[in-house]
Amino acid sequence: MAADPDAVAKAFTDHYYHTFDTNRHALGPLYQEQSLLTFEGQKTAGSALILQKLTSLPFSQCKHQISSLDAQPSMSNGINIVVTGQIITEGESQALKFSQFFHLAQAGASYVISNDCFRLNLA
């Protein structure tokens, strides 16, 4: 029986954003050598370089607040996830709106991040 995309997306995003907010270094196992990240238009490939990018952001603490979460099964037996929300970084009083897309690829009985696209919504 195929996994429920909504349930997987909820569990994944809860884990991802909690880990991002509390211990970004622990995100490494979610990415693979074939994984791709586009962060504010900057492309990065491979788990080590993606983790380096995420851990070198100009803030050490933040808090994500999710506004919406949509999930669909993909034709490759993966799951597409679209997230919108707000992020508050340390030292800032104003939250910034963001959107993020993930494609999760099946890896045995679990999933890994194949594609990750992040954008602040500043307009």
Side-chain angles (χ1 to χ4, degrees):
M1 184 170 133
D4 174 14
D6 292 319
V8 171
K10 174 75 169 110
F12 166 77
T13 55
D14 286 350
H15 174 70
Y16 181 88
Y17 291 115
H18 173 76
T19 305
F20 192 104
D21 294 349
T22 60
N23 181 14
R24 247 176 276 166
H25 290 279
L27 291 172
L30 296 176
Y31 294 95
Q32 303 294 294
E33 284 313 305
Q34 302 84 5
S35 298
L36 302 172
L37 167 69
T38 302
F39 191 92
E40 288 293 303
Q42 208 171 41
K43 294 176 179 17
T44 306
S47 58
L49 291 175
I50 290 171
L51 189 59
Q52 180 181 359
K53 171 66 177 173
L54 296 177
T55 57
S56 68
L57 293 172
F59 53 88
S60 59
Q61 295 181 341
C62 64
K63 175 69 177 146
H64 288 84
Q65 299 170 338
I66 305 307
S67 301
S68 69
L69 173 64
D70 296 301
Q72 297 177 338
S74 72
M75 294 197 310
S76 62
N77 293 324
I79 297 175
N80 295 323
I81 302 170
V82 177
V83 179
T84 63
Q86 298 181 13
I87 183 172
I88 301 172
T89 59
E90 65 182 318
E92 296 294 327
S93 58
Q94 293 289 340
L96 298 172
K97 293 182 179 184
F98 75 92
S99 58
Q100 192 161 13
F101 167 84
F102 297 97
H103 178 260
L104 303 184
Q106 200 158 16
S110 63
Y111 293 89
V112 294
I113 300 170
S114 172
N115 303 83
D116 178 354
C117 299
F118 177 91
R119 274 282 180 190
L120 291 173
N121 300 327
L122 301 175

